[in-house]
Amino acid sequence: MKTGLTLKKRNRIKVFKKSYQLTLMSLPAIILFIIFNYVPMFGIILAFKKLKFNLGFFKSPWVGLDNFKFFFQSQDAWTITRNTIGLNALFIVAGLVVSVAFAILLNEISKRVFVKTYQTAMFFPYFLSWVVVGYMLYAVLNDRLGILNQVLEIFGMEPVSWYSNPQYWPVILLIVYLWKNVGYLSVIYYAGIMGIDNALIEAAIVDGANKFQVIKSIILPMLVPIITVMTLLQIGRIFYADFGMFYYLPNDVGALYPTTQVIDTYVYRALRVTGQVGMATAAGFFQAVVGLCMVLTSNFIVKKYNKDNAIF
Amino acid sequence: MNKRLNQPGPLLTSIIHTIFILFTVLCILPVLLVISISLSSESDIINNGFRLIPSKISFDAFKVVFSNPMQILNSYLITILVAGLGIIFGLLINSMIAYALSRKDYPYRKQLSFFVIFTMLFNGGLVPWYLVISKLNLPNTIWVLILPYLANAWYIIILRTFFKTIPIAIIESAKIDGSNEFKTFIKIILPLSKPGLATVGLFILLMYWNDWWLAMLYIDQEKLIPLQYLLSRMMSNIEFLSKNMYMAPGTLDLSNFPNETARMAMCILAAGPMLFVFPFFQKYFVRGLTIGSIKG
């Protein structure tokens, strides 16, 4: 028994020695991950403390569930959860439909030059930062000077004060989301179509299938694995909003918070603007835990249907 | 090669082209709009609103923006420095761990993969992250703009996929020739993976170039403000400037102060370099995205 243990130990040391160079090479990344990812993970218990900046993390007093009580009793909790999940769900579904449709249409174009040109142009907005996109949107939506109100006037319609009417913003955000991301998403699905074995399609055509039958029965089913992985990744992050988008597009206008405030912007404002750190930590805890559950659940569901398509 | 079904009819072809041309125009138009506004005179804008084609070209906005060029040049410098250091260290650090993970004979491969991928699944949220970095004495240094983004699970996965395509025989023969792991990595693996490194390098460039988040949280000193955050602050600053001038009696006529146009000029200056670089590197991006979406 004793010799068995030492043998195991000796073996372990041997394995370590043999691979220590590779471990050493991994070390810088491991250290960075520990500092910037793993240490903050433990900080999540801050949600049960009343953070006092002068006392620091360890000495701040425990307050149990007080932070959560305040957070969930406020109107904000419901609003920001609804906005985050609702808008993200809208983005996922619309993004999927439009970009798969674009990929299929792109595949119908025979000349490479056109495919390349369209792809380049569609990909272009993806390279702009949200600050820059915020400026562009301002040029379009400005009440008095903006292009959109000028167009409305040409058609004899009343100009709309876009930055003070929150009801328009889900649609505006959806359009800008599609504008910025469809190019990049369709590139991925287009690559998926390129990966389909040509013989399958040729065989179907020989058997007398028309274009729509081929799309319905071959191309779409063959895209299912990529679609699943992409959608799964997005559903896993449905509780996380793109901060830059929700901060810079509505231009930090308070009147638009009812439809544009999401968990991420709420936490930032609570931390840096209004100083409600308790609320911020509670909202952050809520986001992290439910977010993790979302990833695990969606991965579990996919694993049940098709093992190969799961992320882990 | 296209997966051609059969030749689509001329009507269908023209419908498809129309859809793409419309969307393409829609993608480019906002940029043209911003360029046009930055080249218009302010009085023109005030009277006619934003236009796609300026009635006459005026460089006033750029003159105003460059009347005090130190801040802009400084921000350019900071952004270039951050992106440059980020690319060098980011590529080195991420590719080293990715190489270890790509080796089937590395005994801790499974545990380490989980360690890396878990960072994509869970995080402590903004508040603890903010506190940790504040405690490290990083705020208001150039390092706070670089370090938090350096190790990145997504880039590690992409690089690992590239490294996996290198035949193990090459690595083993180097080992027999007496090369140690690090030497093999530098002398053999990296030169063989240039396309992969270029792809991830560009992702890193884009990430650092477009970042305002770290500066927004951790930078108060003017001399450390990167380009995108300068742009973000410019929005409120110009408003502040023009409002103050307006309130002071007997000073400038508001219509002479290039408020709207200067803003857009600044926007062009911040986005500009990316716009020029983008067409050349687009193919690397496409490759990286395709690899990243297919799990390795």
Side-chain angles (χ1 to χ4, degrees):
Chain A
M1 192 66 195
K2 215 176 177 188
T3 47
L5 259 178
T6 46
L7 203 70
K8 230 186 204 171
K9 225 180 226 172
R10 216 179 291 157
N11 241 345
R12 232 185 249 168
I13 293 168
K14 214 172 168 187
V15 165
F16 181 80
K17 266 192 179 160
K18 224 181 113 196
S19 62
Y20 84 98
Q21 288 177 347
L22 288 174
T23 308
L24 220 56
M25 285 167 71
S26 314
L27 213 54
I30 294 175
I31 292 169
L32 285 167
F33 277 131
I34 290 175
I35 296 174
F36 294 110
N37 296 82
Y38 282 91
V39 173
M41 279 180 205
F42 294 105
I44 202 154
I45 52 170
L46 261 179
F48 305 99
K49 284 186 160 203
K50 183 169 177 58
L51 184 70
K52 300 225 164 106
F53 281 99
N54 52 344
L55 293 177
F57 175 80
F58 291 105
K59 287 183 186 155
S60 292
W62 294 95
V63 291
L65 297 174
D66 276 8
N67 290 331
F68 293 96
K69 241 184 250 160
F70 285 125
F71 173 61
F72 284 110
Q73 275 168 5
S74 70
Q75 184 62 43
D76 301 336
W78 158 244
T79 313
I80 60 175
T81 309
R82 180 201 62 193
N83 288 348
T84 311
I85 296 182
L87 289 168
N88 271 338
L90 198 63
F91 294 167
I92 294 171
V93 173
L96 178 68
V97 172
V98 175
S99 53
V100 168
F102 272 26
I104 288 172
L105 289 181
L106 217 49
N107 182 47
E108 290 296 310
I109 295 170
S110 43
K111 285 217 173 73
R112 280 297 277 168
V113 200
F114 287 117
V115 176
K116 284 236 156 131
T117 317
Y118 294 148
Q119 267 192 336
T120 308
M122 279 161 47
F123 210 161
F124 166 76
Y126 184 73
F127 285 72
L128 302 171
S129 77
W130 281 119
V131 190
V132 171
V133 178
Y135 273 63
M136 291 174 171
L137 191 66
Y138 170 86
V140 175
L141 294 186
N142 184 288
D143 295 357
R144 208 164 42 81
L145 311 169
I147 289 284
L148 191 54
N149 276 347
Q150 291 182 43
V151 173
L152 287 183
E153 251 169 82
I154 291 172
F155 287 104
M157 285 187 268
E158 284 291 306
V160 177
S161 176
W162 302 103
Y163 284 100
S164 42
N165 286 304
Q167 73 268 29
Y168 299 117
W169 278 82
V171 180
I172 294 171
L173 290 170
L174 176 66
I175 291 170
V176 179
Y177 171 85
L178 290 176
W179 178 79
K180 198 166 189 281
N181 290 304
V182 156
Y184 132 78
L185 288 170
S186 64
V187 156
I188 292 171
Y189 296 124
Y190 182 71
I193 296 176
M194 293 293 99
I196 298 172
D197 188 356
N198 231 340
L200 274 176
I201 291 167
E202 275 160 20
I205 291 168
V206 170
D207 287 347
N210 67 29
K211 202 179 290 298
F212 296 102
Q213 285 168 325
V214 171
I215 291 172
K216 200 179 121 233
S217 317
I218 297 178
I219 295 188
L220 282 178
M222 294 296 273
L223 280 181
V224 165
I226 302 180
I227 291 175
T228 325
V229 172
M230 293 293 294
T231 312
L232 193 64
L233 284 172
Q234 292 177 69
I235 290 177
R237 299 209 41 94
I238 201 165
F239 241 64
Y240 294 89
D242 190 339
F243 178 88
M245 177 180 194
F246 292 94
Y247 189 79
Y248 286 111
L249 295 188
N251 226 334
D252 207 9
V253 174
L256 301 179
Y257 286 177
T259 55
T260 62
Q261 179 88 295
V262 287
I263 300 177
D264 297 79
T265 52
Y266 177 82
V267 172
Y268 172 78
R269 284 177 184 130
L271 177 68
R272 292 302 299 267
V273 187
T274 55
Q276 298 163 297
V277 183
M279 298 280 238
T281 49
F285 183 93
F286 175 56
Q287 182 181 43
V289 172
V290 182
L292 182 65
C293 293
M294 291 301 299
V295 183
L296 297 179
T297 319
S298 49
N299 194 60
F300 174 77
I301 293 168
V302 173
K303 221 174 196 171
K304 222 170 170 187
Y305 286 104
N306 189 343
K307 242 184 166 156
D308 296 335
N309 295 348
I311 309 176
F312 52 88
Chain B
M1 265 308 288
N2 274 20
K3 302 284 164 190
R4 308 271 298 104
L5 315 183
N6 40 42
Q7 198 66 39
L11 178 68
L12 199 59
T13 311
S14 47
I15 290 173
I16 292 173
H17 278 284
T18 317
I19 292 172
F20 279 111
I21 288 168
L22 280 179
F23 193 74
T24 301
V25 169
L26 212 64
C27 286
I28 309 292
L29 222 53
V31 184
L32 297 181
L33 179 63
V34 169
I35 294 175
S36 152
I37 297 169
S38 72
L39 291 175
S40 304
S41 74
E42 188 74 12
S43 56
D44 221 25
I45 297 287
I46 297 291
N47 294 332
N48 302 324
F50 297 139
R51 288 289 152 95
L52 257 181
I53 299 151
S55 54
K56 66 176 193 289
I57 304 281
S58 150
F59 290 99
D60 286 353
F62 285 96
K63 272 181 210 153
V64 165
V65 170
F66 278 113
S67 64
N68 188 4
M70 282 320 290
Q71 180 70 69
I72 290 175
L73 291 181
N74 190 52
S75 291
Y76 255 103
L77 203 71
I78 294 288
T79 299
I80 289 168
L81 192 66
V82 165
L85 289 172
I87 289 174
I88 294 167
F89 287 115
L91 277 182
L92 191 68
I93 288 168
N94 287 321
S95 62
M96 283 195 304
I97 189 171
Y99 174 62
L101 293 175
S102 76
R103 285 275 299 268
K104 285 213 173 64
D105 54 344
Y106 182 56
Y108 309 117
R109 190 165 48 99
K110 279 228 167 86
Q111 294 90 321
L112 202 56
S113 287
F114 181 78
F115 176 84
V116 170
I117 288 173
F118 191 70
T119 63
M120 293 171 95
L121 304 179
F122 188 71
N123 67 64
L126 177 62
V127 182
W129 192 67
Y130 179 76
L131 287 179
V132 167
I133 294 175
S134 303
K135 272 276 172 289
L136 291 170
N137 286 329
L138 282 175
N140 286 315
T141 63
I142 186 112
W143 301 108
V144 81
L145 298 174
I146 300 170
L147 290 177
Y149 289 169
L150 265 189
N152 182 309
W154 189 245
Y155 303 153
I156 292 172
I157 292 173
I158 294 175
L159 285 166
R160 186 186 65 175
T161 314
F162 271 100
F163 293 146
K164 269 185 180 164
T165 59
I166 296 171
I168 186 85
I170 296 179
I171 298 163
E172 267 161 8
S173 69
K175 205 184 263 175
I176 291 166
D177 290 345
S179 168
N180 65 27
E181 298 285 9
F182 190 71
K183 218 165 154 191
T184 312
F185 173 71
I186 297 283
K187 291 253 165 82
I188 295 167
I189 305 298
L190 287 188
L192 282 174
S193 324
K194 274 182 199 148
L197 293 173
T199 303
V200 173
L202 280 163
F203 278 122
I204 297 176
L205 171 69
L206 187 74
M207 173 179 71
Y208 280 113
W209 189 277
N210 280 344
D211 187 62
W212 32 262
W213 178 231
L214 292 171
M216 195 172 177
L217 288 173
Y218 302 113
I219 301 288
D220 313 310
Q221 288 175 14
E222 302 283 327
K223 65 176 203 294
L224 284 171
I225 290 179
L227 210 48
Q228 300 292 334
Y229 188 50
L230 181 72
L231 183 66
S232 146
R233 297 204 341 175
M234 207 84 155
M235 193 88 175
S236 43
N237 275 355
I238 289 185
E239 245 158 45
F240 176 77
L241 210 64
S242 65
K243 263 181 203 150
N244 277 16
M245 283 186 174
Y246 189 57
M247 283 193 294
T251 47
L252 275 169
D253 176 13
L254 180 63
S255 63
N256 282 337
F257 188 83
N259 185 340
E260 305 291 343
T261 52
R263 194 178 277 184
M264 296 304 163
M266 188 54 215
C267 184
I268 293 297
L269 289 174
M274 271 296 135
L275 304 191
F276 286 113
V277 161
F278 148 77
F280 302 105
F281 295 126
Q282 190 229 7
K283 71 167 186 206
Y284 287 104
F285 260 89
V286 173
R287 182 158 30 181
L289 289 172
T290 340
I291 286 174
S293 65
I294 299 158
K295 64 169 181 168

